[in-house]
Amino acid sequence: MNKPLIQVSNVSVAFKVKDRIVNAVKNASFNVYQGDIFGIIGSSGAGKSTLVRTLNRLASPTQGQIYVNGTNIASLKGKDLQQFRFDVGMIFQNFNLASSKTVYDNIAFVLKAAGKRGLAVEQRVKELLKLVSLTDKANAYPAELSGGQKQRVGIARALANDAKILLCDEATSALDPQTTTSILDLLKQLNREFKLTIVLITHEIDVIKKICNRVAVMSQGEIVELNNTFDLFASPQQAFTQSFLNIDENTALPSKVKKNAKGKLVRLRYINENATEPVLFQSAKQTNVSFNILHGFIEYFNDQALGNLVVELIGANDDISSLIHLLKSYHVIVEEVK
Ligand SMILES: Nc1ncnc2c1ncn2[C@@H]1O[C@H](COP(=O)(O)OP(=O)(O)OP(=O)(O)O)[C@@H](O)[C@H]1O
């Protein structure tokens, strides 16, 4: 495995509010690798924003360390700190654009802050506007833009000084589903074309499914589970993750169907869309079990397919056990439906 670009090691963040301590982040550890689109998901107040803000020093850990490219970011000062701020861009739910500046000037401002002048600024702004498909809006003010367009300006500004890492704090939460998709497509394109590493926080499961390759699940300040996206959805280990990701909800059966079922109800998750139905069919035949498919769908995570089936197994108990055993040997995840 290559070296992590971001290494978060036992990070805790506590806030003192009057005479009370709020432990917003508790002992979080994880690595982000170059080219990752790393998602942090959790409900409101889980500590996601606080955690992501420690990655660019907008928040300071009360305990633990964060290394970016091998450097402990707490030790950065002067020019190194300034360079670090250029290397790590950030976009926000409410866009944070300067309302009195045009689109052009919002982007030019951060280039000038990095010491660029004249033609270098002009060329770079043009390049960035083209990249985010806003060339025709250079002279517009933020109030004249849609939410999606505002976020595109936010992205251009965050990347202006050649950022290597982009932090996204609920960047699509204020957008409608179609605009969300177009912003996620843009982030994916930037990730692909420039190997931009992205850390995003969201409470939206669909955002995770659409673009993240790895995910941390947060609850009450803790990372309760971390996995690649596909495996997290295929086989969530923690009860919190299962209920938060609504895993069972997607294949919930009407109570009448459950009540009328004569056989054993099982949920099958499989990772090879082509193999499973033949595998189920042949395994059932081999073990003398018959089955009814009660629910089924296939979900896609990038190019990987995750099949979900709820089936009723009818046969002798021993035969059903043999069938389940056989299915598991084909890497089908089998869970009893209660
Ligand atoms: N500056 C602060 N001072 C005091 N408490 C804070 C501060 N920032 C965050 N908190 C508290 O820390 C906890 C985690 O907040 P945080 O915003 O990180 O969660 P979140 O998962 O991002 O939630 P949301 O999605 O609602 O923003 C909350 O209880 C919040 O009230």
Side-chain angles (χ1 to χ4, degrees), residues 39-78:
I40 301 173
I41 190 161
S43 40
S44 183
K48 308 179 297 294
S49 281
T50 307
L51 179 57
V52 84
R53 288 159 65 89
T54 62
L55 303 183
N56 64 349
R57 286 196 25 177
L58 278 182
S60 304
T62 8
Q63 229 178 289
Q65 291 85 34
I66 294 162
Y67 295 86
V68 173
N69 234 340
T71 302
N72 183 341
I73 64 171
S75 70
L76 293 169
K77 290 198 279 285

Side-chain angles (χ1 to χ4, degrees), residues 252-321:
L253 294 175
S255 55
K256 197 171 162 195
V257 174
K258 267 195 195 171
K259 224 168 85 190
N260 291 343
K262 291 183 208 71
K264 186 182 182 74
L265 295 179
V266 290
R267 181 178 293 108
L268 309 179
R269 290 201 189 94
Y270 52 95
I271 56 177
N272 184 341
E273 80 218 82
N274 301 320
T276 297
E277 279 178 54
V279 163
L280 173 61
F281 189 76
Q282 278 159 18
S283 307
K285 207 163 137 192
Q286 208 175 315
T287 51
N288 270 328
V289 176
S290 47
F291 64 89
N292 288 322
I293 295 179
L294 302 176
H295 202 321
F297 66 97
I298 294 177
E299 272 187 295
Y300 290 90
F301 296 85
N302 292 314
D303 294 333
Q304 270 182 298
L306 173 64
N308 290 272
L309 280 183
V310 177
V311 293
E312 176 185 14
L313 305 176
I314 302 159
N317 284 344
D318 284 355
D319 292 339
I320 289 178
S321 298

Side-chain angles (χ1 to χ4, degrees), residues 13-18 20-25 40-53 59 93 169-170 173 201-203 218 220-221:
V13 184
F15 296 107
K16 196 161 189 291
V17 186
K18 292 184 188 155
R20 209 165 58 90
I21 302 284
V22 177
N23 293 303
V25 177
I40 301 173
I41 190 161
S43 40
S44 183
K48 308 179 297 294
S49 281
T50 307
L51 179 57
V52 84
R53 288 159 65 89
Q93 177 172 5
D169 187 348
E170 298 279 2
S173 300
I201 65 172
T202 183
H203 62 273
M218 270 192 102
Q220 298 181 6

